[in-house]
Structure formats: C-alpha cells, structure tokens
Amino acid sequence: MSWTWGYGTNGFTDHPLPAALDVLQHHGYGAVALTLGHPHLDPFAADWRAQTQALAADLRRRGLRVVVETGARYLLDPLRKHRPTLVDREAGSRMAFLRRAIEIAAVLDADCVSLWSGVVPDDVSVEQARVLLEERLLELTAFAADAGVTLALEPEPGMLVETVADALALRARLGHPANLGLTVDLGHCVVVEPEGVAGALRAAGGLLRNVQADDMLPAAHEHLPFGEGELDLDAALSTLREIDYAGVIAVELPRHAHAAPELARASMAALVAAAERTAPGEGAAGTASAGAAGGGDSAWGGPRSSAESSAARISSAPGAGPAGAAGGGVSAGGGPRASAESSAARIPSAPRISSAPGAGPVGAAGGGVSAGGGPRASAESSAPGISSAPGPAAPPAHPWTTRAIEQIRTDATRAPHLFASAGREVGRDPLSAEPFAPTADDAARAAIIATLADSGADPAVAVALYRRGDDAERRGVLRGLDALAAPAAAWREAGLELVVDALRANDTRLVAAALGTFAAEHLDDHTWRHGVLKCVFLGIPLSVVSGLEVRADDELAAMAERFAAERRAAGRPVPDDLLLLRARERA
C-alpha cells in the first residue's frame, strides 16, 4: 500500500513508550502517532532534546515512521482540558508548546506536526477568534519552515475550524503556506462533514498530510473501535487510494488504553480486511503486508531519512517486492504491480524535445535521467555551455504513458485528467538512488507536458496544471520544462514564471525540481544564484543543480562566503556545500 498503518500513543497511556512500540510492532504497524505529554515524552522536560534524540534513534532502529500529535488533554492547564488554545486571548503556553513540538518533530524527522484551532471561548467573538488563529498560524508556519517541518491542521467537531472546507478557507486566507497541510480524522467525517468521508478526503486531496482512523456515530464526538459506529471504512480507503495518499493512517482510540493491545490487534485486522476488499482488481492477494512501511515522500516533500526509506523503499530491481519479498513492486493503488511493470527500467524519463514546429516525436533519443533528478538533454539539444554528462539511452516508455501521449496528441483536453491520474497508473517509485531523483510519476507527467508543448498547446494549460496541482503534480510540470530543448517564447516565459514560483517554496523536492536544465539554460543569474543558496539552506545537495559547474561564478562564491560567515557568527555549522562553492571559485 502507498500509506503506512500506525497507532496513536494516546491509546497506550498505561504502557511505557518502549513497551507500546513493542506491541505495535508485534501487530504489524509501521508508524506511530506520538502524542506529546504524559506519560511518553514530556516536551518541557529539562532533557527533552536528549530524550528526543534517543527516541529518534530507537524509531530508526525499528524502522517506524512518526507523526507528532499535540492533543494532550491537561498538559498546559491541569484544570481545563486542552486550554489554552490558539483562539484564546492569552495563548502563550500553547504557542510555546507548539514551537517545542516543531523542534521535536525536526529531531524525529517526523512526517508532520498535527494541531487544531480550538473551541471559541465565551469571551472571544468568532471574528476575533479568526484573527487570533490566523496571526498565530502565520507565526507557527514561519517557525516550522525554518525547521524544515510540515504542520497539519486538523478540523475538529465543535472547534472554530470544524470541517475540511473551514481548513481550506483558512489556508487560503493565510496565502497557501507551502508547509501547512491537513489532518483528517475519519471518524470526524461521520459527525461534521456534509459530503461524508469520501467528500472530505477528496476536498483535502494533495494537501492531506496525516490521517487518524477511528469509528464514530453521527451524534457524538466519541472515538470508537471499528465496527461500533457508522464510518464507511471501505469508502475511506478507496478514496485515499484515489487521491494517492502516501502518509500515515494512525488508529486513534484515546479512551481505550485499558484494552490497547487487543484493540491494536483488532484494529489492524479491520484495516487489512478493508484494504483487501477495496484493492482495485487485486483482492486479498493484492494487498501489501500490513506491517510493511509505506515508502515514498515525507510530508515535508523530501525523501524520508535513509534509515527509514531503506526499510520502506520498494526496490526496482527485477523480482523485488514489498519489503524485500519476492514478486512485483507496490502500486500507488495499494496492490502489487506485475514485475514487468514495477521495474524502474520500464519507466522512461521525459525526453528532451523542441516545442518549435516540426519537432520530433516524444520518445526520440536523447532522454535519460540526470544525477540531479531532471531529464538530460541530448548533446545536440543542450544550450551552449551547459554540460550534460553522457548517460544511458532512455528506457522504453511505461505502457500507460505511451497511451496517454497518444490520447493527448488526439485530444489535448484530456491532459488534466491524465496528469492527475499518473501517480495511480505508473506509481511513484524513484528512478534512481540519487537524492531527489525523479519518480515514475514525475517522468510520466513530464512526458505529458512535453507532448503538449510539442503539439503547439497554449502554455496556459501547463500553468493551470501547476497552479491547481498538488506538490507531485507541480514537480511533474517542472520536470516537463526540463524536457523542452528549445521552447517557444511563450513556453519559455511561462516556464520561468513557474520556476520562480517553485523557488519561493519550502518544499525541498519542488525546489530541487525547479533547478533542472530549464533553469540552467533560461533563469537569470540573480534568481539562479539565490536558488542555489536556497538549496544549501534547505539541505538539498547541490548535485541536483543542473549546470552548476558552468554557471557558478565569483558572485555566487561571495554570496556563499557571506552565508557561511552568518552561520559561524550564529554558532551554527557551515554546510559542506557552502565550502564547496567557495573552494570551486578559489580554484
């Protein structure tokens, strides 16, 4: 499956944390939703950092993903549950707690920090509560961006932000922060979501960063074991497959710690049974092992830590299956693909083509995947001065991609639907072991963009796919720009607009994709230099930057020197890539 089953520690409050993790692993869970506070990890302990570092090492050893939950009942006020919240007049302790949660998540390499708005208190109007919440979330998203952490806002029955629509409207008012996604509790959908669980998950779409799983009855916000409420679990899992969700699905039963081991077993059985019933065209044999970690990307947008991803990653070697088992890879739909289709060798990179009239067909020689993660140009199509290391010939296209290209050449209006479907159809396996390498769906989407350009389509189509797309779809547009050897003026201008937009983001995979061959050949010096330094700031290796050997200049070296001086003055380590930039210019 593309996601990972997890369980919340707020349902294990009678167990020490190591014992709770032992139980979860025994029952096949691959992730833990860690609620900060008594009795598992005190965020305000004097040695919180040492405790967190020890926990991070333990989670890596176990191969468990983690999300950080912030819903402890009496952590901040022993008399008032959950108070203060982000909509209270005085919320200093809540803000301090959430900042500490972000720091803990950074140490743990957590997928996200989940948080909620709060119930509007009697002495605050709804309008005042909105202002307070927006101001505080803007502060928190900036703090989290500096730490490289994603926040996931959870709609809660009875709170100011009660539904997914409320959360999306709030996010829009904040200016669509790149590192603010959504948590959806499946049980809450029974209580408050007008379109039910499927409608809520579809509305969240590519912004979904965390899922909590439990049952509920329509009239009560009470977390129940599966089967005791009215949740349509099959519909929920089918919809999560439909939207290509690849995060954690964690059981949340905070009032059932007295029976935690048995409920962990029963919950896993219910989840696996529902996954088997809903696996498209596969049946029971088509569902990956319940305990297998679901590989893919972290919520922040970059690959998870090497220790975690090595356990979770599906090999593209022939015969490699889930978690090293024999058989095919795992499809984005949740079931194993045929071995012939699961191999990365069957997934093409998008070839470089010209968008000028008379350009050759997609699939012509000259493709290949660069170490930096973008499709490489052929020697003939590279812009003067931008070197491209020779690579192997492009492998044959995935059958779905070939059909998609043919359909778009016949009817370009089908592009948006096919673009959105790419992840489900070809999967999201990386095409190489290089950091920030393109994935199978990146390549398929790049081929779609290249076909549109080659067919003379208006670049506004690509702009719309980017603007309306989730993070993966935006990467696909950027990879597609890299596939254009000699873009027409309109495509060049549109592409520059999108690259500049991507370089403003804090999504590491988006920034990495933005600095491919298109940026190397067309981006102005000032913006390109700042993009390179942003890679260093975000921890993205400079191997992703196309044309670095040619375009690095004295001004970039001077900028790197100033950046290094600031880091030293602040008592922070100087990244090796900064030293590399300075050493290159000295040489």
Side-chain angles (χ1 to χ4, degrees), residues 269-519:
L271 290 167
V272 170
E276 290 175 346
R277 288 192 300 271
T278 58
E282 297 290 349
T287 303
S289 166
D297 301 341
S298 72
W300 178 242
R304 294 193 298 277
S305 64
S306 58
E308 178 186 2
S309 60
S310 62
R313 188 71 68 192
I314 306 302
S315 170
S316 62
V330 178
S331 74
R337 289 192 299 275
S339 59
E341 291 187 4
S342 66
S343 171
R346 296 295 302 273
I347 310 295
S349 61
R352 300 266 298 185
I353 65 169
S354 170
S355 61
V362 172
V369 179
S370 73
R376 274 197 301 270
S378 67
E380 304 87 70
S381 64
S382 293
I386 304 297
S387 63
S388 285
H398 188 284
W400 180 88
T401 305
T402 300
R403 291 192 298 272
I405 289 172
E406 292 170 354
Q407 292 171 26
I408 292 169
R409 286 193 180 281
T410 303
D411 181 6
T413 64
R414 303 197 62 177
H417 172 73
L418 294 167
F419 203 77
S421 302
R424 282 196 305 277
E425 299 296 341
V426 306
R428 291 186 296 269
D429 293 343
L431 299 185
S432 79
E434 295 295 330
F436 298 93
T439 56
D441 57 325
D442 285 350
R445 291 184 173 113
I448 289 172
I449 295 297
T451 303
L452 288 169
D454 186 40
S455 301
D458 191 321
V461 177
V463 173
L465 290 173
Y466 178 93
R467 296 292 183 192
R468 299 171 187 169
D470 61 19
D471 294 342
E473 291 166 4
R474 290 184 172 201
R475 290 199 312 272
V477 173
L478 296 172
R479 301 291 190 196
L481 295 175
D482 288 344
L484 307 181
W491 275 87
R492 179 181 179 278
E493 292 307 311
L496 287 172
E497 172 191 335
L498 299 183
V499 167
V500 170
D501 181 84
L503 289 176
R504 295 192 190 105
N506 287 313
D507 179 331
T508 53
R509 297 197 69 181
L510 197 64
V511 173
L515 286 171
T517 53
F518 182 88

Side-chain angles (χ1 to χ4, degrees), residues 6 16 29 47 85 111 126 188 195 208 210 237 250 266 306 308 318 330 383 389 391 482 512 526 536 584:
Y29 291 91
D47 63 341
T85 74
D111 281 19
V126 171
H188 293 172
E195 301 299 326
L208 188 61
N210 184 35
L237 297 187
S306 58
E308 178 186 2
V330 178
D482 288 344
H526 175 80
V536 178
R584 176 184 286 111

Side-chain angles (χ1 to χ4, degrees), residues 75-91:
L75 178 66
L76 304 180
D77 188 326
L79 297 177
R80 302 182 303 161
K81 184 173 71 171
H82 294 319
R83 301 289 296 278
T85 74
L86 290 174
V87 296
D88 279 65
R89 289 187 182 277
E90 298 297 331

